[in-house]
Amino acid sequence: EIIRGAGGERMGRWHSRVRGLPEYGGELPVAALAEEIETPGEGQVRALVTQSGNPVLSSPNGARLERALATLAHYVAIDFYLNETTRHAHVILPPTGPLEREHYDLVFNALAVRNVAKYSPALRKRDRDARHDWEILGQLTERITLGRRSRWQGRVMRTLGPRRLLDLALRTGAYGAGIVARGKGGLTVKALEQAPHGVDLGPLRPAFPERLRTAGKRVVLAPAPLVADVARLAAWLAEHDAARAVMPDALALIGRRALRSNNSWMHNSARLVRGRDGCTLHMHPHDATARGLADGERVTVTSRTGSVTVAVEVTEAIMPGVVSLPHGWGHTRAGTRQEVAAAHAGASINDLTDEQRIDALCGNAAFSGTPVRVARA
């Protein structure tokens, strides 16, 4: 069944082959990836391309996905790290480094508290045989599809490039100079180059209700798909309470992120991992006392999917009944080339999360609240 949202968005136009998890925005949830690689039959995933990712450490039940990656017929990684995931690649295509390419932030501007624009040129020239990510992806697309349209699109993209596309977007935006500037000022790439610290465009502007795509220009607080799912959710909560009664010593595992340890690739920088251990299990003093555990002790954390060993950090910053492991650690796999990360290995929370625990409505993995047992190692 295709679910239509109040703004016209659609979900479930197709479903995954094995479990029937729904598509959203043209994508299937990563919780389906391992089983789609493992399960034979028409449509089985036999080839994979990853770009600057480490799903073995960032996807639910990463150990299962790791085993599945080793069975792929062909795996291409666009990355300059040989990490826990890319070590399984048959071909690695390293892109230019961060100082060899220009940059204009899009993602974090969505979190800004003022309207700002900042362009950063490349600080050094790339080697002659080096390629940017967009060039690698464009060439792969052309060579895989082999169609006249893709070749034409590729030529257009190579001619324009990110700089000309950005300039066009700036010129035609709310603060732009226009296609033909006519000396009136406004944003262009050239103007931002002359302001190396960026441009403050003033306070944020109201965008509602004009940006709303709903018929009545109202925010829909109770979308029909969510309302229809309430009965299932209530039944699930009842089952969850019953399961906790059977396993009273279980704790709910949640993740966390730290400023210097937001993702796995940050652990290969000596500056970012120096100081106290960044990968500890946060536990409330009540739960630690009940298990006879002291701050700093090594403990084993076990879920349906696996076990990890880590130091416990007793703290009142977390509520009783809940424990927390940070995201992105677990650099214990052989075959990587990240010496700093390996020296500060930690444990992967996604060796404990469960790809079978999903939000039934959208199919996404339920990363929080994984039932675990904790005991002295």
Side-chain angles (χ1 to χ4, degrees):
E1 179 185 1
I2 296 178
I3 298 176
R4 297 182 183 274
E9 65 275 10
R10 293 179 295 174
M11 182 176 74
R13 290 172 292 177
W14 62 85
H15 294 77
S16 66
R17 181 177 58 105
V18 179
R19 241 189 305 172
L21 301 183
E23 158 276 340
Y24 179 75
E27 299 178 347
L28 289 171
V30 73
L33 181 56
E35 64 199 35
E36 293 293 330
I37 296 173
E38 294 168 344
T39 308
E42 185 177 355
Q44 180 184 8
V45 173
R46 301 299 299 134
L48 183 70
V49 178
T50 63
Q51 180 189 12
S52 302
N54 197 354
V56 166
L57 297 188
S58 60
S59 298
N61 197 351
R64 180 185 180 186
L65 179 59
E66 183 178 18
R67 293 190 296 270
L69 291 177
T71 69
L72 286 168
H74 198 61
Y75 169 25
V76 175
I78 303 172
D79 209 308
F80 40 65
Y81 271 140
L82 194 67
N83 60 30
E84 291 75 17
T85 299
T86 61
R87 70 194 181 103
H88 294 287
H90 299 93
V91 177
I92 295 181
L93 304 175
T96 51
L99 302 183
E100 299 172 313
R101 54 177 178 258
E102 56 198 348
H103 183 75
Y104 182 85
D105 210 320
L106 294 175
V107 173
F108 290 107
N109 276 358
L111 308 176
V113 295
R114 289 180 68 85
N115 280 322
V116 296
K118 186 178 186 298
Y119 171 82
S120 300
L123 293 184
R124 65 179 295 269
K125 287 186 177 182
R126 60 177 174 175
D127 295 335
R128 290 185 61 183
D129 60 348
R131 299 290 182 269
H132 297 308
D133 295 71
W134 68 272
E135 292 172 314
I136 295 172
L137 288 167
Q139 283 289 302
L140 284 177
T141 301
E142 287 187 51
R143 297 181 189 203
I144 292 172
T145 56
L146 297 176
R148 181 179 298 176
R149 181 180 178 183
S150 66
R151 290 196 298 271
W152 176 81
Q153 289 175 331
R155 284 195 294 269
V156 171
M157 288 301 299
R158 286 195 297 274
T159 301
L160 290 174
R163 181 186 173 89
R164 288 193 176 93
L165 287 174
L166 172 62
D167 192 59
L168 180 62
L170 290 171
R171 287 174 176 274
T172 57
Y175 301 92
I179 299 298
V180 181
R182 303 184 188 283
K184 65 178 183 179
L187 288 185
T188 63
V189 169
K190 188 174 182 179
L192 290 181
E193 281 183 313
Q194 296 170 356
H197 300 294
V199 176
D200 186 344
L201 300 165
L204 299 178
R205 296 179 179 179
F208 283 173
E210 292 79 10
R211 291 289 183 91
L212 290 174
R213 298 174 61 190
T214 54
K217 293 294 184 182
R218 292 286 190 273
V219 175
V220 180
L221 298 180
L226 294 184
V227 173
D229 195 51
V230 169
R232 181 205 60 81
L233 179 59
W236 181 88
L237 288 171
E239 294 174 6
H240 181 71
D241 289 342
R244 291 207 62 166
V246 174
M247 195 168 63
D249 62 334
L251 298 167
L253 174 67
I254 64 172
R256 68 181 188 271
R257 306 231 184 184
L259 184 62
R260 289 191 292 139
S261 174
N262 194 52
N263 284 310
S264 64
W265 54 267
M266 300 174 77
H267 301 151
N268 206 44
S269 166
R271 282 177 176 240
L272 297 181
V273 295
R274 66 187 178 187
R276 60 183 299 181
D277 187 0
C279 184
T280 59
L281 182 77
H282 283 185
M283 177 182 284
H284 190 272
H286 172 81
D287 295 318
T289 301
R291 290 162 177 78
L293 300 174
D295 186 70
E297 275 196 90
R298 303 286 292 178
V299 296
T300 298
V301 189
T302 304
S303 73
R304 184 195 75 84
T305 61
S307 296
V308 301
T309 301
V310 67
V312 66
E313 183 175 344
V314 180
T315 171
E316 292 188 355
I318 196 164
M319 68 185 295
V322 180
V323 289
S324 173
L325 269 178
H327 172 83
W329 298 86
H331 307 286
T332 55
R333 275 79 169 177
T336 66
R337 294 182 187 172
Q338 299 182 100
E339 293 183 2
V340 175
H344 302 79
S348 175
I349 186 175
N350 287 312
D351 285 345
L352 301 172
T353 54
D354 192 342
E355 84 285 6
Q356 299 300 315
R357 294 182 71 248
I358 61 171
D359 181 324
L361 183 62
C362 67
N364 275 331
F367 283 98
S368 288
T370 304
V372 295
R373 283 192 167 101
V374 180
R376 180 178 287 107

